[in-house]
């Protein structure tokens, strides 16, 4: 579908789509329309029997935001709707914690559904407005108590954190970068779904499509060289992906890519009104993400108290660390412990020990944090073990591929250096891998 490709965030009015069968999100929005708060303004833009579209404006008044945000949120009361006299069916499949991929079909004259593309829906199972235990905000939206109104705002803001992952990324696909999904062609899709941005097929997971069935190391490294080429293109355009991991890889038109950029951030852009800026809209606390993103306050400001959940922006250097971890998983799955233990020990350490040995973090704060957290920081498993995929993978090593092992292990060490400023660039990693395939 044809969409405007612009740099000014104020023109990026892409809707996020939420399945709201019982009207719970709509009720909360309608309450906030009447009872405004200074930093959150909601307006009803369009109302149809089968969906409503709201405009949401949130001022940058919180410490995890750096610029104003404007979104359009479309609430569907069903996954079977009618538009311009055409019957539309969406079959959602779980894509990530944030999103579900709705396979959109339009019923033709013969009564058969014709696929027209993929609409990224919010994963309604994780929208607290729909699933929050007890739903205190539903007891009395007309006259809520102060705690209930405050809780309602918390739930709306939680939804908006999810909205941004599906709504703001669509302009990236207009760049036509290999390894990312493409926008579906205009035509029947645009005449039926109007401004909703549809993507072409999201393809199969690389793990399920290839690695779980058995692969050869040389072929896998060739695929990873394509992934890092995609990263180099994103980085050159000032975008960090923020979510590089083996489970996210998908092949588009014969090119292996890193998956949807749900956690992406613009980098090297001055923050301000109507610019995407360094959006600190999401936290990074997964095993495949580097310590400086998971604990940004401790890394950037030793005087700041330790906090296990902090919002920050993705970085190019963080993408490279995650790529190095992914490469380590591939090598380990290929050769096992015998060869692997010849490498640098960094990823064989737990997250706590890794951070402690770097001398970049306040050890006292780390020890205090371990005492009061049950997350990865208190987990004794190695970083490598924490990143092994849940689906068993099988990678064989041919005689010709053996010469790759030493350079790959060196590259893993470079990518996973604790100091982000000493890691190679995506272009440099691409060049090193190109010499091996």
């Amino acid at each position: 579908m044809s969409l405007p490709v612009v740099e000014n965030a104020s023109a990026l009015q892409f809707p996020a789509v939420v399945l709201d069968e019982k009207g719970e999100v709509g009720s909360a929005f309608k309450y906030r329309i009447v009872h405004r708060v200074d930093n959150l303004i909601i307006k009803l833009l369009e109302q149809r029997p089968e969906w409503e579209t709201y405009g949401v404006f949130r001022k940058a008044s919180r410490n995890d935001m750096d610029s104003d945000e404007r979104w359009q949120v479309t609430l569907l009361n069903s996954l079977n709707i009618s538009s311009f006299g055409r019957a539309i069916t969406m079959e959602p499949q779980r894509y990530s914690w944030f999103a579900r991929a709705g396979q959109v079909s339009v019923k033709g004259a013969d009564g058969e559904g014709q696929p027209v593309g993929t609409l990224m829906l919010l994963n309604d199972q994780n929208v607290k407005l729909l699933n929050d235990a007890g739903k205190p905000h539903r007891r009395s939206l007309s006259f809520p108590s102060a705690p209930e109104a405050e809780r309602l705002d918390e739930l709306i803001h939680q939804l908006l954190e999810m909205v941004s992952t599906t709504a703001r990324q669509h302009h990236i696909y207009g760049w036509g970068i290999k390894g990312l999904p493409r926008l579906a062609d205009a035509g029947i899709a645009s005449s039926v779904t109007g401004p909703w941005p549809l993507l072409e097929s999201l393809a199969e997971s690389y793990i399920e499509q290839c690695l779980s069935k058995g692969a050869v190391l040389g072929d896998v490294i060739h695929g990873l060289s394509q992934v890092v080429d995609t990263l180099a293109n994103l980085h050159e355009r000032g975008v960090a992906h923020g979510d590089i991991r083996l489970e996210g890889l998908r092949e588009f038109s014969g090119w292996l890519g890193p998956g949807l950029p749900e956690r992406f951030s613009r980098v090297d852009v001055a923050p301000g009104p109507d610019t995407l800026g360094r959006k600190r809209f999401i936290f990074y606390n997964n095993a495949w993400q580097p310590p400086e993103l998971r604990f940004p306050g401790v890394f950037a400001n030793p005087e700041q108290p330790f906090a296990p959940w902090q919002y920050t922006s993705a970085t190019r250097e963080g993408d490279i660390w995650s790529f190095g971890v992914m490469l380590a998983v591939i090598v380990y799955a290929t050769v096992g412990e015998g060869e692997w233990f010849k490498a640098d020990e960094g990823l064989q350490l737990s997250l706590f020990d890794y951070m402690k040995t770097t001398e970049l973090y306040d050890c006292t704060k780390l020890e205090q944090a371990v005492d009061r957290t049950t997350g990865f920081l208190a987990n004794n498993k190695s970083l490598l073990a924490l990143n092994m995929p849940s689906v068993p993978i099988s990678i064989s090593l041919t005689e010709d591929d053996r010469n790759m092992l030493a350079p790959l292990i060196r590259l893993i060490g470079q990518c996973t250096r604790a100091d982000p400023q000493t890691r190679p660039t995506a272009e440099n990693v691409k060049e090193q891998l190109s010499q091996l395939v």
Side-chain angles (χ1 to χ4, degrees):
M1 180 178 296
S2 177
L3 290 172
V5 180
V6 294
E7 295 298 326
N8 187 338
S10 65
L12 297 178
Q13 296 295 322
F14 305 118
V17 182
V18 186
L19 178 60
D20 185 28
E21 293 178 295
K22 297 180 180 179
E24 293 167 326
V25 177
S27 294
F29 280 6
K30 288 180 175 67
Y31 174 79
R32 266 289 160 246
I33 289 175
V34 177
H35 303 85
R36 278 182 47 178
V37 292
D38 290 340
N39 67 335
L40 178 64
I41 300 173
I42 300 176
K43 295 181 179 180
L44 178 62
L45 302 179
E46 179 186 33
Q47 187 167 24
R48 298 194 185 190
E50 292 159 313
W51 73 77
E52 299 173 339
T53 298
Y54 292 85
V56 181
F57 173 78
R58 183 167 64 169
K59 286 188 65 66
S61 58
R62 296 166 23 176
N63 61 9
D64 61 347
M65 298 166 57
D66 61 8
S67 64
D68 298 340
E69 295 179 319
R70 293 177 175 85
W71 311 117
Q72 289 185 10
V73 182
T74 295
L75 306 179
L76 301 174
N77 60 26
S78 172
L79 293 176
N80 298 298
I81 63 176
S82 176
S83 179
F84 299 99
R86 308 291 294 277
I88 301 175
T89 299
M90 304 176 208
E91 297 182 6
Q93 301 173 349
R94 188 182 190 278
Y95 182 85
S96 69
W97 192 94
F98 296 101
R100 294 200 292 168
Q103 308 302 318
V104 181
S105 297
V106 178
K107 187 175 291 186
D110 58 0
E112 296 294 323
Q114 177 184 348
V116 294
T118 300
L119 179 68
M120 298 310 296
L121 306 157
L122 262 65
N123 188 345
D124 48 284
Q125 294 179 349
N126 293 319
V127 174
K128 289 185 178 180
L129 268 170
L130 300 174
N131 303 290
D132 194 53
K135 295 186 174 66
H137 60 282
R138 294 181 61 191
R139 287 201 290 271
S140 175
L141 277 179
S142 299
F143 302 100
S145 65
E148 286 175 337
E150 184 177 343
R151 178 59 176 159
L152 176 63
D153 284 344
E154 289 179 7
L155 297 176
I156 290 176
H157 283 301
Q158 188 267 346
L159 168 65
L160 296 184
E161 301 302 316
M162 296 180 66
V163 162
S164 56
T165 63
T166 60
R168 74 190 189 102
Q169 61 181 300
H170 290 288
H171 69 288
I172 290 178
Y173 305 128
W175 295 339
I177 295 176
K178 288 183 178 180
L180 295 179
R182 296 184 180 276
L183 295 169
D185 292 334
I188 186 171
S190 59
S191 66
V192 175
T193 61
W196 298 354
L198 300 184
L199 301 176
E200 291 181 352
S201 170
L202 296 182
E204 293 292 327
S205 161
Y206 182 59
I207 284 184
E208 296 175 3
Q209 186 181 41
C210 182
L211 299 185
S212 65
K213 299 176 180 178
V216 176
L217 179 62
D219 294 338
V220 175
I221 298 305
H222 175 72
L224 292 188
S225 69
Q226 295 177 338
V227 173
V228 80
D229 181 81
T230 302
L231 281 182
N233 276 289
L234 284 171
H235 290 181
E236 184 181 9
R237 291 176 177 269
V239 168
H241 187 277
D243 201 22
I244 305 301
R245 56 193 173 109
L246 200 56
E247 289 87 341
L249 303 187
R250 291 173 180 253
E251 187 175 291
F252 301 99
S253 303
W255 194 275
L256 190 62
L260 301 187
E262 294 179 315
R263 299 174 185 260
F264 86 92
S265 294
R266 292 290 303 273
V267 295
D268 299 335
V269 176
D274 297 331
T275 62
L276 290 173
R278 292 180 175 272
K279 296 306 292 185
R280 298 191 300 269
F281 80 104
I282 199 164
F283 56 82
Y284 301 83
N285 199 22
N286 296 297
W288 58 88
Q289 289 157 339
E292 74 269 11
L293 294 188
R294 297 172 71 176
F295 312 108
V298 178
F299 178 77
N301 182 6
E303 301 303 319
Q304 183 172 330
F306 183 92
W309 302 97
Q310 291 177 297
Y311 288 71
T312 189
S313 56
T315 63
R316 298 184 182 98
E317 297 82 8
D319 282 353
I320 296 302
W321 193 92
S322 299
F323 185 87
V325 171
M326 182 170 63
L327 190 57
V329 169
I330 292 297
V331 172
Y332 182 83
T334 305
V335 300
E337 294 183 357
E339 291 281 347
W340 174 253
F341 279 112
K342 296 179 182 178
D344 181 84
E345 68 170 3
L347 297 182
Q348 299 169 45
L349 300 174
S350 67
L351 175 61
F352 173 76
D353 288 337
Y354 175 92
M355 295 176 69
K356 189 174 180 179
T357 57
T358 63
E359 299 182 356
L360 296 174
Y361 299 89
D362 187 320
C363 291
T364 301
K365 290 182 182 178
L366 285 178
E367 289 168 355
Q368 292 172 349
V370 169
D371 291 338
R372 66 175 191 265
T373 183
T374 58
F376 287 133
L377 197 58
N379 196 320
N380 291 325
K381 285 187 177 180
S382 70
L383 285 167
L384 181 63
L386 288 172
N387 280 282
M388 295 303 294
S390 57
V391 177
I393 60 177
S394 174
I395 305 174
S396 59
L397 182 68
T398 67
E399 197 59 39
D400 291 340
D401 292 341
R402 287 192 175 277
N403 293 331
M404 289 185 179
L405 292 177
L408 287 176
I409 289 173
R410 284 197 297 271
L411 181 57
I412 291 167
Q414 295 170 22
C415 292
T416 58
R417 288 170 180 158
D419 185 348
Q421 300 307 314
T422 63
R423 297 169 195 157
T425 64
E427 197 64 44
N428 182 264
V429 175
K430 171 184 167 184
E431 180 180 345
Q432 292 190 54
L433 288 181
S434 69
Q435 297 172 3
L436 303 178
V437 297

